[in-house]
Amino acid sequence: MSTTVMLERPEAIVLDIEGTTSSTWFVHDVLYPYSRERFTEYLTDRADDEDVQRARGQIIDLAGLDPDADTAQLVAALEDWLDRDEKRTPLKILQGLIWADGFAKGDLTSHFFDDAVPAIRRWHEDGIELWVFSSGSLSSQRAWFGNSPDGDLLPLFSGHFDTENAGPKRVASSYATIREQIGRPAASLLFFSDLVEELDAAEEDGWGTVGVRREGDQHAERGVGEHPEISTFEQVRFT
């Protein structure tokens, strides 16, 4: 039987996605290949798009490429980061654009663990603000929550944060930025993630934390350190 985790009711909950609400394997096995097949198309056919231009400049800077690098060089850098599962901002920008189009076309539908959407709806009905902090770009987050198997979940959320508007997920200053944007004390915020480094960073800024260990998911065997631990949102109870 799952152990109930009793926590003080937060004013706001911030959710990670991969490994927390949704399977990391779905992202790796479905979304990553979908984006890989379309990098060249987006960097050529959409070269005049403002977001694509921004990503191109960032790829050149981060990969140390010549300013006149061709598309093949840019794609090679993207694929290297993808192979290493590195959360580079230009990679996430392009993936977000590609995935958003895929969701809009009906090629893609996002994945959620069975307990995730009921918990999200329950917390929202209880008057708790809901936010997302993911390494995925804002466009990919909106596409993800807007195209769930349970329909559009976006109205349940107050906003979204990524590595561009908040900062790296393993750095305490990113959680300070989010806290300031939400406008609530750190002690009233609760962050859910499957990665101990992210939980540690949030705790360093004074947040409440919950470590999520989904059996069989990518990081489950690593554990969540000293943070309160759950394997399903059904274990969480607020006082």
Side-chain angles (χ1 to χ4, degrees):
M1 179 180 293
S2 298
T3 303
T4 298
V5 176
M6 300 299 298
L7 301 165
E8 184 174 346
R9 183 185 185 278
E11 295 180 10
I13 288 173
V14 179
L15 293 167
D16 169 53
I17 298 176
E18 291 182 43
T20 300
T21 65
S22 311
S23 170
T24 56
W25 300 125
F26 178 88
V27 175
H28 284 257
D29 295 342
V30 177
L31 295 190
Y32 280 9
Y34 189 88
S35 62
R36 186 190 294 270
E37 293 169 2
R38 291 162 176 80
F39 287 147
T40 299
E41 172 191 342
Y42 272 69
L43 286 167
T44 53
D45 297 352
R46 307 197 181 197
D48 293 332
D49 182 280
E50 182 178 342
D51 288 329
V52 174
Q53 290 179 349
R54 177 162 54 95
R56 183 184 188 280
Q58 292 174 344
I59 296 168
I60 289 170
D61 290 342
L62 290 172
L65 300 176
D66 186 89
D68 296 323
D70 60 24
T71 299
Q73 292 173 291
L74 299 175
V75 171
L78 290 168
E79 292 184 338
D80 180 60
W81 293 333
L82 193 60
D83 290 340
R84 297 171 185 270
D85 197 22
E86 294 188 11
K87 313 299 185 183
R88 300 299 186 111
T89 295
L91 171 63
K92 294 304 178 181
I93 289 172
L94 287 173
Q95 285 180 320
L97 296 172
I98 292 168
W99 294 339
D101 281 349
F103 283 115
K105 293 175 182 176
D107 292 346
L108 300 170
T109 301
S110 56
H111 169 274
F112 286 85
F113 293 114
D114 290 343
D115 58 285
V117 174
I120 289 168
R121 293 192 185 280
R122 182 170 65 251
W123 294 334
H124 180 264
E125 290 169 2
D126 287 345
I128 299 172
E129 285 187 17
L130 299 176
W131 302 75
V132 178
F133 184 25
S134 172
S135 58
S137 68
L138 298 183
S139 61
S140 67
Q141 292 182 34
R142 294 184 183 116
W144 185 268
F145 285 94
N147 294 273
S148 86
D150 256 25
D152 184 4
L153 303 179
L154 287 173
L156 305 179
F157 289 87
S158 296
H160 301 257
F161 297 98
D162 65 2
T163 56
E164 274 203 297
N165 69 1
K169 294 189 71 183
R170 303 184 183 194
V171 178
S173 60
S174 301
Y175 297 86
T177 297
I178 292 173
R179 167 173 49 79
E180 291 166 1
Q181 289 293 317
I182 293 176
R184 296 185 182 275
S188 73
L189 304 177
L190 186 61
F191 178 57
F192 289 81
S193 175
D194 64 319
L195 290 177
V196 66
E197 295 89 350
E198 297 177 2
L199 297 165
D200 288 346
E203 185 178 59
E204 185 178 341
D205 191 55
W207 293 44
T209 57
V210 178
V212 184
R213 294 185 70 183
R214 302 283 188 176
E215 183 177 355
D217 216 67
Q218 185 179 16
H219 303 295
E221 295 305 314
R222 295 185 60 214
V224 294
E226 299 301 315
H227 302 275
E229 178 183 320
I230 62 171
S231 59
T232 168
F233 291 130
E234 293 174 355
Q235 293 172 251
V236 176
R237 295 289 183 274
F238 295 134
T239 59

